Amino acid sequence: MASSSTARQNQTKPENAFDEIAPYFVPKSTEPWDIFINHRGCDVKYTLATTIYDKLHSMGLHVFLDVEALEAGDCIPAEIQHAITSATLQIAIFSVNYAQSPWCLAELSFMLKTGKKIFPIFYHVDLSDLSLDGQGKGKYAYAFSEHEKKGRYKSEKLDEWKRALHESSLIPGYLVSNNEDEATVLKNIVNCAFETLKKVPLSVADHPVGLDELVQRFESVRGEEEVKIKGIVGMGGSGKTTLAKELFNRNISSFERGSFVFDVRDAASRNALADKQKKLLSDLGVDDLQFDNVDEGKVVLANRLSFHQALIVLDDVDHIDQVNALLPNKDNLGSHSMVIVTTRELDVLISWGLSLSCIYKMPELNTSNAKQLFCWHAFLQLSPPAEFEILVQEFLKVCNASFAIDKTYFNGLGKIAMASNSIKYLQDLERLVVEFRGSSLSEEFSGLQLLAYFGLYSPVLS
């Protein structure tokens, strides 16, 4: 990790349960997680939770355990919400003091709402402890009586958490009452998690506007002959990753193995490219090799990539060294493999030896698609309510519909529209958009900055 373990340990979660705060912030990265571990820190953070994390992480899986994933300065609620929402699998460790934590309970409730697969582990607790029948029995009953005495959470929220516990008790899980159970559980959950993750398609987009058309255009790109190598280039927020995930899902069944390596640029900035190398190898079925740095990883990859007919996606690279670290010899790839590289920098693909005929440039949003995308994020429907029709047209005119903007930007505009129901802010908005386009930080610009400017939310955390 980029920050020290001491810095991580010194972080404290705010008083609010994360679901009260998270909607007002954005995570530092959009890279999806494979697994989220919900747990009570004082019970299992440095024992069972860390053991599960270490084993899964060593297999190349992207696992969220707060002490490992969070860094100094992170917005904790946003990171947790993103991890839960994006994770394919969720592990809930129900321990003795679990119900004392509003954060654990809020996370659990949110996990169940996502509908993702949950592996419950009942760590020195009985299933009956999770079924709160109002008679004050069981390990968790006392914790809820304390929540009620403090009066900090409304009865509706407490009832929601009780239902989440009861629902979790009905999910087949793992009982741990001694060290032998713990070793068996660790083996079973690691095997089940890894096998399940290999079969799950990538989550593409909530509102895939114009995606089929993009796929058709991309498929017209020639690529190399035996090993098809193609590039996707476009500015941040233009939909490169969304297109790459859709292509991955549509084509993976034609290959022996597949690996989607997310956020390469971010990993390089954190000196974590070796972790990406390990993920790639793990996805290709190589789990028994260990190395400590990128140079060693390049040697391993150079020797192993030729044995597989694989679909490989390298997402968001910004330097030729990153491509070479993950694919040290593209001429040594297995025959009939396919490689897709997404980047903001055309020069990276050219330097790697790709011709322009092998590179797909992301198009700008047309007016119709921009309107649909805006309305999905602002109003959860393809067209605006009648009373917002003029306002939506004005917003899109100000922003220039052909200009690629990420979904948090649309969210911000939509919330402003719904809150104001007028065009009196358009002059200020137009100035902001001009500043946004001219800023060197434009690709990190968030709709939340718009909300803050118009006074529609106040940051809860510094």
Side-chain angles (χ1 to χ4, degrees):
M1 300 299 294
S3 62
S4 68
S5 59
T6 301
R8 293 197 299 268
Q9 293 170 9
N10 286 340
Q11 277 194 306
T12 58
K13 292 175 180 176
E15 288 293 319
N16 306 65
F18 90 96
D19 55 345
E20 298 176 339
I21 303 172
Y24 299 101
F25 296 87
V26 290
K28 62 188 175 187
S29 171
T30 58
E31 178 180 5
W33 295 85
D34 293 321
I35 298 173
F36 177 83
I37 302 178
N38 165 252
H39 68 289
R40 181 73 164 114
C42 63
D43 289 342
V44 296
K45 186 184 299 293
Y46 298 104
T47 53
L48 180 60
T50 294
T51 302
I52 292 173
Y53 169 86
D54 287 342
K55 184 62 177 176
L56 293 172
H57 181 70
S58 70
M59 298 169 72
L61 297 177
H62 197 208
V63 185
F64 187 97
L65 180 67
D66 53 9
V67 71
E68 295 292 338
L70 297 174
E71 301 176 344
D74 284 347
C75 175
I76 300 174
E79 299 303 325
I80 290 177
Q81 186 180 60
H82 170 64
I84 293 174
T85 302
S86 64
T88 303
L89 294 178
Q90 298 159 346
I91 298 173
I93 305 176
F94 298 102
S95 54
V96 174
N97 296 298
Y98 180 95
Q100 294 178 7
S101 168
W103 275 67
C104 286
L105 296 168
E107 288 175 3
L108 178 65
S109 179
F110 190 69
M111 288 160 60
L112 289 166
K113 291 175 183 176
T114 67
K116 303 290 184 66
K117 188 177 182 67
I118 296 179
F119 287 169
I121 300 176
F122 306 101
Y123 189 76
H124 301 290
V125 297
D126 297 322
L127 293 179
S128 59
D129 290 321
L130 279 70
S131 297
L132 299 165
D133 55 10
Q135 298 182 21
K137 296 180 180 180
K139 293 183 175 69
Y140 291 180
Y142 175 76
F144 271 87
S145 67
E146 290 298 303
H147 290 316
E148 290 167 0
K149 286 178 184 177
K150 292 178 181 178
R152 192 162 175 279
Y153 297 100
K154 295 180 179 180
S155 59
E156 293 83 1
K157 177 63 70 175
L158 295 178
D159 289 341
E160 176 187 324
W161 292 346
K162 289 178 182 179
R163 287 193 299 271
L165 287 170
H166 177 68
E167 186 175 339
S168 299
S169 73
L170 303 177
I171 302 173
Y174 303 91
L175 292 170
V176 176
S177 59
N178 55 50
N179 291 337
E180 183 177 347
D181 287 345
E182 188 168 330
T184 301
V185 165
L186 177 63
K187 179 180 178 180
N188 288 342
I189 204 164
V190 166
N191 290 338
C192 288
F194 192 72
E195 287 302 314
T196 302
L197 281 164
K198 289 196 297 186
K199 303 173 185 177
V200 176
L202 298 173
S203 174
V204 177
D206 293 333
H207 315 300
V209 174
L211 191 54
D212 287 336
E213 182 181 352
L214 290 177
V215 170
Q216 291 175 7
R217 291 181 180 178
F218 175 86
E219 289 176 343
S220 67
V221 173
R222 180 174 63 84
E224 302 292 341
E225 291 300 327
E226 189 171 13
V227 178
K228 290 188 177 180
I229 301 177
K230 300 183 181 183
I232 301 176
V233 65
M235 64 170 293
S238 60
K240 299 184 301 297
T241 301
T242 298
L243 174 58
K245 288 194 290 186
E246 180 68 12
L247 292 165
F248 187 88
N249 286 345
R250 294 191 185 195
N251 291 281
I252 185 59
S253 61
S254 301
F255 297 86
E256 295 174 357
R257 295 277 182 170
S259 181
F260 197 113
V261 186
F262 287 93
D263 284 350
V264 175
R265 174 172 61 99
D266 176 67
S269 70
R270 296 183 287 106
N271 296 317
L273 272 180
D275 289 339
K276 298 298 184 183
Q277 292 175 319
K278 291 175 182 176
K279 172 180 168 48
L280 177 54
L281 284 165
S282 178
D283 290 342
L284 296 179
V286 183
D287 298 320
D288 57 341
L289 295 175
Q290 296 296 322
F291 48 87
D292 298 321
N293 56 59
V294 172
D295 289 335
E296 291 178 2
K298 289 171 68 174
V299 174
V300 176
L301 283 163
N303 292 329
R304 291 296 183 123
L305 287 177
S306 61
F307 294 105
H308 300 283
Q309 180 186 344
L311 172 59
I312 299 172
V313 177
L314 306 185
D315 178 52
D316 194 20
V317 305
D318 70 350
H319 197 280
I320 186 63
D321 289 347
Q322 298 161 15
V323 185
N324 289 333
L326 293 161
L327 297 175
N329 185 356
K330 72 175 189 292
D331 297 327
N332 198 35
L333 290 168
S335 61
H336 305 295
S337 291
M338 174 182 276
V339 175
I340 299 172
V341 180
T342 77
T343 181
R344 304 176 186 186
E345 308 295 337
L346 178 62
D347 289 347
V348 171
L349 301 175
I350 299 299
S351 299
W352 198 42
L354 289 191
S355 64
L356 290 174
S357 63
C358 298
I359 299 171
Y360 177 70
K361 183 178 180 181
M362 292 297 296
E364 298 174 333
L365 279 175
N366 61 41
T367 303
S368 175
N369 286 344
K371 183 177 180 180
Q372 287 185 29
L373 189 58
F374 178 96
C375 290
W376 266 122
H377 289 292
F379 310 111
L380 300 180
Q381 58 189 50
L382 280 173
S383 57
E387 64 269 27
F388 289 102
E389 178 68 42
I390 295 177
L391 186 60
V392 168
Q393 292 178 11
E394 292 298 326
F395 269 126
L396 292 176
K397 185 186 300 182
V398 168
C399 296
N400 184 353
S402 65
F403 186 70
I405 305 174
D406 69 21
K407 69 178 183 181
T408 56
Y409 191 83
F410 278 117
N411 277 327
L413 296 179
K415 289 176 183 177
I416 292 170
M418 289 185 286
S420 64
N421 195 16
S422 76
I423 60 173
K424 65 180 181 180
Y425 291 132
L426 286 178
Q427 185 175 359
D428 281 342
L429 177 62
E430 187 167 14
R431 180 178 59 78
L432 277 178
V433 171
V434 171
E435 291 178 359
F436 163 57
R437 292 177 184 166
S439 170
S440 61
L441 299 176
S442 61
E443 290 174 347
E444 280 70 41
F445 187 83
S446 164
L448 294 171
Q449 291 174 259
L450 283 175
L451 294 180
Y453 180 85
F454 290 112
L456 297 179
Y457 94 99
S458 298
V460 181
L461 299 175
S462 60

mmCIF file of all heavy atoms in Angstrom, residues 67-104:
data_model
loop_
_atom_site.group_PDB
_atom_site.id
_atom_site.type_symbol
_atom_site.label_atom_id
_atom_site.label_comp_id
_atom_site.label_asym_id
_atom_site.label_seq_id
_atom_site.Cartn_x
_atom_site.Cartn_y
_atom_site.Cartn_z
ATOM 1 N N VAL A 67 -8.358 -2.435 6.594
ATOM 2 C CA VAL A 67 -7.010 -2.129 7.061
ATOM 3 C C VAL A 67 -5.987 -2.206 5.932
ATOM 4 O O VAL A 67 -4.924 -1.587 5.995
ATOM 5 C CB VAL A 67 -6.606 -3.074 8.218
ATOM 6 C CG1 VAL A 67 -6.364 -4.479 7.711
ATOM 7 C CG2 VAL A 67 -5.394 -2.544 8.964
ATOM 8 N N GLU A 68 -6.310 -2.937 4.872
ATOM 9 C CA GLU A 68 -5.412 -3.045 3.724
ATOM 10 C C GLU A 68 -5.789 -2.085 2.603
ATOM 11 O O GLU A 68 -4.930 -1.572 1.891
ATOM 12 C CB GLU A 68 -5.434 -4.481 3.184
ATOM 13 C CG GLU A 68 -4.885 -5.527 4.132
ATOM 14 C CD GLU A 68 -3.389 -5.375 4.349
ATOM 15 O OE1 GLU A 68 -2.712 -4.772 3.499
ATOM 16 O OE2 GLU A 68 -2.886 -5.879 5.369
ATOM 17 N N ALA A 69 -7.080 -1.833 2.444
ATOM 18 C CA ALA A 69 -7.548 -1.059 1.284
ATOM 19 C C ALA A 69 -7.553 0.440 1.509
ATOM 20 O O ALA A 69 -7.388 1.215 0.570
ATOM 21 C CB ALA A 69 -8.957 -1.518 0.896
ATOM 22 N N LEU A 70 -7.769 0.877 2.759
ATOM 23 C CA LEU A 70 -7.910 2.299 3.034
ATOM 24 C C LEU A 70 -6.568 2.946 3.322
ATOM 25 O O LEU A 70 -5.711 2.362 3.985
ATOM 26 C CB LEU A 70 -8.863 2.517 4.224
ATOM 27 C CG LEU A 70 -10.309 2.051 4.005
ATOM 28 C CD1 LEU A 70 -11.103 2.184 5.294
ATOM 29 C CD2 LEU A 70 -10.971 2.838 2.880
ATOM 30 N N GLU A 71 -6.432 4.161 2.830
ATOM 31 C CA GLU A 71 -5.208 4.924 3.039
ATOM 32 C C GLU A 71 -5.548 6.241 3.721
ATOM 33 O O GLU A 71 -6.704 6.685 3.705
ATOM 34 C CB GLU A 71 -4.512 5.193 1.703
ATOM 35 C CG GLU A 71 -4.146 3.927 0.942
ATOM 36 C CD GLU A 71 -3.540 4.220 -0.422
ATOM 37 O OE1 GLU A 71 -3.695 5.368 -0.892
ATOM 38 O OE2 GLU A 71 -2.914 3.317 -0.998
ATOM 39 N N ALA A 72 -4.541 6.861 4.306
ATOM 40 C CA ALA A 72 -4.744 8.148 4.963
ATOM 41 C C ALA A 72 -5.333 9.153 3.980
ATOM 42 O O ALA A 72 -4.855 9.287 2.855
ATOM 43 C CB ALA A 72 -3.417 8.671 5.519
ATOM 44 N N GLY A 73 -6.400 9.836 4.387
ATOM 45 C CA GLY A 73 -7.044 10.831 3.546
ATOM 46 C C GLY A 73 -8.200 10.302 2.720
ATOM 47 O O GLY A 73 -8.908 11.076 2.075
ATOM 48 N N ASP A 74 -8.399 8.984 2.707
ATOM 49 C CA ASP A 74 -9.533 8.421 1.956
ATOM 50 C C ASP A 74 -10.857 8.834 2.580
ATOM 51 O O ASP A 74 -10.965 9.006 3.804
ATOM 52 C CB ASP A 74 -9.469 6.894 1.939
ATOM 53 C CG ASP A 74 -8.425 6.355 0.984
ATOM 54 O OD1 ASP A 74 -7.921 7.150 0.166
ATOM 55 O OD2 ASP A 74 -8.113 5.154 1.064
ATOM 56 N N CYS A 75 -11.871 8.974 1.751
ATOM 57 C CA CYS A 75 -13.240 9.145 2.238
ATOM 58 C C CYS A 75 -13.789 7.747 2.515
ATOM 59 O O CYS A 75 -14.186 7.026 1.602
ATOM 60 C CB CYS A 75 -14.107 9.872 1.211
ATOM 61 S SG CYS A 75 -15.830 9.969 1.707
ATOM 62 N N ILE A 76 -13.777 7.355 3.782
ATOM 63 C CA ILE A 76 -14.096 5.976 4.152
ATOM 64 C C ILE A 76 -15.483 5.550 3.676
ATOM 65 O O ILE A 76 -15.636 4.465 3.103
ATOM 66 C CB ILE A 76 -13.942 5.783 5.677
ATOM 67 C CG1 ILE A 76 -12.499 6.083 6.085
ATOM 68 C CG2 ILE A 76 -14.316 4.370 6.084
ATOM 69 C CD1 ILE A 76 -12.265 6.066 7.578
ATOM 70 N N PRO A 77 -16.544 6.341 3.900
ATOM 71 C CA PRO A 77 -17.874 5.892 3.471
ATOM 72 C C PRO A 77 -17.952 5.615 1.974
ATOM 73 O O PRO A 77 -18.551 4.621 1.554
ATOM 74 C CB PRO A 77 -18.787 7.062 3.869
ATOM 75 C CG PRO A 77 -18.062 7.762 4.964
ATOM 76 C CD PRO A 77 -16.623 7.649 4.608
ATOM 77 N N ALA A 78 -17.348 6.487 1.172
ATOM 78 C CA ALA A 78 -17.406 6.304 -0.281
ATOM 79 C C ALA A 78 -16.654 5.053 -0.711
ATOM 80 O O ALA A 78 -17.102 4.315 -1.603
ATOM 81 C CB ALA A 78 -16.834 7.532 -0.990
ATOM 82 N N GLU A 79 -15.506 4.805 -0.084
ATOM 83 C CA GLU A 79 -14.721 3.624 -0.448
ATOM 84 C C GLU A 79 -15.479 2.346 -0.091
ATOM 85 O O GLU A 79 -15.483 1.376 -0.858
ATOM 86 C CB GLU A 79 -13.359 3.643 0.273
ATOM 87 C CG GLU A 79 -12.476 4.827 -0.066
ATOM 88 C CD GLU A 79 -12.200 4.949 -1.552
ATOM 89 O OE1 GLU A 79 -12.071 3.904 -2.231
ATOM 90 O OE2 GLU A 79 -12.122 6.084 -2.047
ATOM 91 N N ILE A 80 -16.125 2.331 1.070
ATOM 92 C CA ILE A 80 -16.863 1.138 1.492
ATOM 93 C C ILE A 80 -18.072 0.907 0.592
ATOM 94 O O ILE A 80 -18.336 -0.220 0.159
ATOM 95 C CB ILE A 80 -17.288 1.262 2.967
ATOM 96 C CG1 ILE A 80 -16.060 1.164 3.877
ATOM 97 C CG2 ILE A 80 -18.297 0.175 3.338
ATOM 98 C CD1 ILE A 80 -16.353 1.338 5.342
ATOM 99 N N GLN A 81 -18.809 1.965 0.304
ATOM 100 C CA GLN A 81 -19.981 1.797 -0.550
ATOM 101 C C GLN A 81 -19.584 1.287 -1.931
ATOM 102 O O GLN A 81 -20.234 0.390 -2.485
ATOM 103 C CB GLN A 81 -20.745 3.110 -0.682
ATOM 104 C CG GLN A 81 -22.057 2.948 -1.459
ATOM 105 C CD GLN A 81 -22.817 4.247 -1.590
ATOM 106 O OE1 GLN A 81 -22.317 5.213 -2.145
ATOM 107 N NE2 GLN A 81 -24.028 4.279 -1.063
ATOM 108 N N HIS A 82 -18.514 1.841 -2.495
ATOM 109 C CA HIS A 82 -18.056 1.383 -3.810
ATOM 110 C C HIS A 82 -17.614 -0.077 -3.745
ATOM 111 O O HIS A 82 -17.909 -0.870 -4.662
ATOM 112 C CB HIS A 82 -16.906 2.255 -4.301
ATOM 113 C CG HIS A 82 -16.231 1.703 -5.526
ATOM 114 N ND1 HIS A 82 -16.875 1.571 -6.736
ATOM 115 C CD2 HIS A 82 -14.977 1.206 -5.714
ATOM 116 C CE1 HIS A 82 -16.040 1.049 -7.627
ATOM 117 N NE2 HIS A 82 -14.900 0.808 -7.026
ATOM 118 N N ALA A 83 -16.910 -0.448 -2.665
ATOM 119 C CA ALA A 83 -16.424 -1.822 -2.544
ATOM 120 C C ALA A 83 -17.588 -2.807 -2.479
ATOM 121 O O ALA A 83 -17.571 -3.858 -3.131
ATOM 122 C CB ALA A 83 -15.549 -1.960 -1.300
ATOM 123 N N ILE A 84 -18.619 -2.472 -1.703
ATOM 124 C CA ILE A 84 -19.777 -3.358 -1.587
ATOM 125 C C ILE A 84 -20.528 -3.441 -2.911
ATOM 126 O O ILE A 84 -20.925 -4.519 -3.363
ATOM 127 C CB ILE A 84 -20.723 -2.870 -0.472
ATOM 128 C CG1 ILE A 84 -20.041 -3.013 0.896
ATOM 129 C CG2 ILE A 84 -22.038 -3.657 -0.476
ATOM 130 C CD1 ILE A 84 -20.838 -2.415 2.045
ATOM 131 N N THR A 85 -20.731 -2.291 -3.543
ATOM 132 C CA THR A 85 -21.496 -2.250 -4.784
ATOM 133 C C THR A 85 -20.801 -2.990 -5.915
ATOM 134 O O THR A 85 -21.443 -3.682 -6.714
ATOM 135 C CB THR A 85 -21.729 -0.790 -5.215
ATOM 136 O OG1 THR A 85 -22.416 -0.095 -4.165
ATOM 137 C CG2 THR A 85 -22.574 -0.721 -6.472
ATOM 138 N N SER A 86 -19.487 -2.875 -5.987
ATOM 139 C CA SER A 86 -18.756 -3.452 -7.117
ATOM 140 C C SER A 86 -18.320 -4.891 -6.887
ATOM 141 O O SER A 86 -18.052 -5.621 -7.848
ATOM 142 C CB SER A 86 -17.523 -2.595 -7.441
ATOM 143 O OG SER A 86 -16.605 -2.617 -6.352
ATOM 144 N N ALA A 87 -18.226 -5.331 -5.620
ATOM 145 C CA ALA A 87 -17.732 -6.675 -5.322
ATOM 146 C C ALA A 87 -18.669 -7.747 -5.889
ATOM 147 O O ALA A 87 -19.891 -7.627 -5.813
ATOM 148 C CB ALA A 87 -17.569 -6.864 -3.822
ATOM 149 N N THR A 88 -18.081 -8.783 -6.420
ATOM 150 C CA THR A 88 -18.860 -9.902 -6.931
ATOM 151 C C THR A 88 -19.338 -10.802 -5.792
ATOM 152 O O THR A 88 -20.456 -11.302 -5.814
ATOM 153 C CB THR A 88 -18.015 -10.733 -7.912
ATOM 154 O OG1 THR A 88 -17.559 -9.872 -8.966
ATOM 155 C CG2 THR A 88 -18.824 -11.869 -8.507
ATOM 156 N N LEU A 89 -18.478 -10.989 -4.806
ATOM 157 C CA LEU A 89 -18.805 -11.806 -3.640
ATOM 158 C C LEU A 89 -18.612 -10.998 -2.368
ATOM 159 O O LEU A 89 -17.744 -10.117 -2.307
ATOM 160 C CB LEU A 89 -17.907 -13.041 -3.577
ATOM 161 C CG LEU A 89 -18.054 -14.097 -4.674
ATOM 162 C CD1 LEU A 89 -17.045 -15.205 -4.442
ATOM 163 C CD2 LEU A 89 -19.454 -14.656 -4.710
ATOM 164 N N GLN A 90 -19.394 -11.324 -1.344
ATOM 165 C CA GLN A 90 -19.282 -10.643 -0.066
ATOM 166 C C GLN A 90 -19.181 -11.677 1.051
ATOM 167 O O GLN A 90 -19.927 -12.664 1.055
ATOM 168 C CB GLN A 90 -20.491 -9.724 0.149
ATOM 169 C CG GLN A 90 -20.584 -8.628 -0.902
ATOM 170 C CD GLN A 90 -21.974 -8.038 -1.042
ATOM 171 O OE1 GLN A 90 -22.949 -8.598 -0.555
ATOM 172 N NE2 GLN A 90 -22.077 -6.914 -1.717
ATOM 173 N N ILE A 91 -18.267 -11.441 1.960
ATOM 174 C CA ILE A 91 -18.088 -12.332 3.108
ATOM 175 C C ILE A 91 -18.486 -11.566 4.359
ATOM 176 O O ILE A 91 -17.988 -10.461 4.600
ATOM 177 C CB ILE A 91 -16.624 -12.804 3.220
ATOM 178 C CG1 ILE A 91 -16.229 -13.607 1.985
ATOM 179 C CG2 ILE A 91 -16.416 -13.631 4.494
ATOM 180 C CD1 ILE A 91 -14.747 -13.970 1.938
ATOM 181 N N ALA A 92 -19.399 -12.120 5.149
ATOM 182 C CA ALA A 92 -19.825 -11.502 6.405
ATOM 183 C C ALA A 92 -19.398 -12.408 7.554
ATOM 184 O O ALA A 92 -19.819 -13.572 7.625
ATOM 185 C CB ALA A 92 -21.335 -11.296 6.420
ATOM 186 N N ILE A 93 -18.552 -11.890 8.439
ATOM 187 C CA ILE A 93 -18.075 -12.662 9.588
ATOM 188 C C ILE A 93 -18.847 -12.203 10.825
ATOM 189 O O ILE A 93 -18.621 -11.103 11.350
ATOM 190 C CB ILE A 93 -16.566 -12.474 9.807
ATOM 191 C CG1 ILE A 93 -15.793 -12.812 8.522
ATOM 192 C CG2 ILE A 93 -16.087 -13.359 10.957
ATOM 193 C CD1 ILE A 93 -14.296 -12.559 8.614
ATOM 194 N N PHE A 94 -19.772 -13.029 11.286
ATOM 195 C CA PHE A 94 -20.586 -12.692 12.453
ATOM 196 C C PHE A 94 -19.874 -13.191 13.706
ATOM 197 O O PHE A 94 -19.809 -14.395 13.962
ATOM 198 C CB PHE A 94 -21.974 -13.320 12.328
ATOM 199 C CG PHE A 94 -22.748 -12.819 11.138
ATOM 200 C CD1 PHE A 94 -22.859 -13.585 9.981
ATOM 201 C CD2 PHE A 94 -23.355 -11.567 11.168
ATOM 202 C CE1 PHE A 94 -23.556 -13.124 8.884
ATOM 203 C CE2 PHE A 94 -24.063 -11.092 10.067
ATOM 204 C CZ PHE A 94 -24.160 -11.874 8.925
ATOM 205 N N SER A 95 -19.332 -12.255 14.466
ATOM 206 C CA SER A 95 -18.583 -12.585 15.667
ATOM 207 C C SER A 95 -19.329 -12.060 16.894
ATOM 208 O O SER A 95 -20.383 -11.438 16.785
ATOM 209 C CB SER A 95 -17.177 -11.974 15.589
ATOM 210 O OG SER A 95 -17.266 -10.570 15.338
ATOM 211 N N VAL A 96 -18.769 -12.295 18.070
ATOM 212 C CA VAL A 96 -19.467 -12.005 19.326
ATOM 213 C C VAL A 96 -19.889 -10.545 19.440
ATOM 214 O O VAL A 96 -21.015 -10.229 19.839
ATOM 215 C CB VAL A 96 -18.572 -12.404 20.531
ATOM 216 C CG1 VAL A 96 -19.226 -11.962 21.835
ATOM 217 C CG2 VAL A 96 -18.321 -13.899 20.537
ATOM 218 N N ASN A 97 -19.015 -9.621 19.075
ATOM 219 C CA ASN A 97 -19.302 -8.196 19.250
ATOM 220 C C ASN A 97 -19.784 -7.513 17.962
ATOM 221 O O ASN A 97 -19.834 -6.287 17.894
ATOM 222 C CB ASN A 97 -18.049 -7.479 19.764
ATOM 223 C CG ASN A 97 -17.634 -7.965 21.135
ATOM 224 O OD1 ASN A 97 -18.378 -7.831 22.102
ATOM 225 N ND2 ASN A 97 -16.443 -8.561 21.233
ATOM 226 N N TYR A 98 -20.130 -8.299 16.975
ATOM 227 C CA TYR A 98 -20.511 -7.767 15.668
ATOM 228 C C TYR A 98 -21.647 -6.747 15.763
ATOM 229 O O TYR A 98 -21.575 -5.645 15.192
ATOM 230 C CB TYR A 98 -20.915 -8.928 14.761
ATOM 231 C CG TYR A 98 -21.340 -8.545 13.365
ATOM 232 C CD1 TYR A 98 -20.433 -8.556 12.315
ATOM 233 C CD2 TYR A 98 -22.661 -8.195 13.075
ATOM 234 C CE1 TYR A 98 -20.813 -8.231 11.015
ATOM 235 C CE2 TYR A 98 -23.056 -7.860 11.782
ATOM 236 C CZ TYR A 98 -22.125 -7.878 10.761
ATOM 237 O OH TYR A 98 -22.512 -7.538 9.487
ATOM 238 N N ALA A 99 -22.699 -7.083 16.474
ATOM 239 C CA ALA A 99 -23.905 -6.247 16.496
ATOM 240 C C ALA A 99 -23.732 -4.951 17.269
ATOM 241 O O ALA A 99 -24.607 -4.082 17.227
ATOM 242 C CB ALA A 99 -25.090 -7.031 17.071
ATOM 243 N N GLN A 100 -22.610 -4.799 17.969
ATOM 244 C CA GLN A 100 -22.356 -3.539 18.671
ATOM 245 C C GLN A 100 -21.980 -2.426 17.699
ATOM 246 O O GLN A 100 -22.031 -1.243 18.060
ATOM 247 C CB GLN A 100 -21.231 -3.735 19.694
ATOM 248 C CG GLN A 100 -21.584 -4.673 20.836
ATOM 249 C CD GLN A 100 -20.416 -4.872 21.780
ATOM 250 O OE1 GLN A 100 -19.379 -4.203 21.659
ATOM 251 N NE2 GLN A 100 -20.562 -5.781 22.730
ATOM 252 N N SER A 101 -21.587 -2.793 16.498
ATOM 253 C CA SER A 101 -21.089 -1.814 15.528
ATOM 254 C C SER A 101 -22.171 -1.386 14.537
ATOM 255 O O SER A 101 -22.612 -2.194 13.707
ATOM 256 C CB SER A 101 -19.910 -2.404 14.751
ATOM 257 O OG SER A 101 -19.582 -1.593 13.640
ATOM 258 N N PRO A 102 -22.605 -0.129 14.568
ATOM 259 C CA PRO A 102 -23.550 0.359 13.554
ATOM 260 C C PRO A 102 -22.991 0.222 12.144
ATOM 261 O O PRO A 102 -23.738 -0.012 11.188
ATOM 262 C CB PRO A 102 -23.750 1.829 13.932
ATOM 263 C CG PRO A 102 -23.411 1.899 15.383
ATOM 264 C CD PRO A 102 -22.310 0.906 15.577
ATOM 265 N N TRP A 103 -21.678 0.355 12.001
ATOM 266 C CA TRP A 103 -21.071 0.241 10.671
ATOM 267 C C TRP A 103 -21.215 -1.170 10.130
ATOM 268 O O TRP A 103 -21.544 -1.368 8.972
ATOM 269 C CB TRP A 103 -19.596 0.646 10.725
ATOM 270 C CG TRP A 103 -19.426 2.120 10.585
ATOM 271 C CD1 TRP A 103 -19.815 3.071 11.479
ATOM 272 C CD2 TRP A 103 -18.865 2.810 9.474
ATOM 273 N NE1 TRP A 103 -19.514 4.318 10.994
ATOM 274 C CE2 TRP A 103 -18.927 4.193 9.776
ATOM 275 C CE3 TRP A 103 -18.299 2.412 8.279
ATOM 276 C CZ2 TRP A 103 -18.458 5.160 8.898
ATOM 277 C CZ3 TRP A 103 -17.817 3.371 7.407
ATOM 278 C CH2 TRP A 103 -17.907 4.741 7.718
ATOM 279 N N CYS A 104 -20.956 -2.173 10.975
ATOM 280 C CA CYS A 104 -21.117 -3.556 10.518
ATOM 281 C C CYS A 104 -22.549 -3.814 10.076
ATOM 282 O O CYS A 104 -22.802 -4.421 9.024
ATOM 283 C CB CYS A 104 -20.760 -4.527 11.647
ATOM 284 S SG CYS A 104 -18.994 -4.657 11.989
#
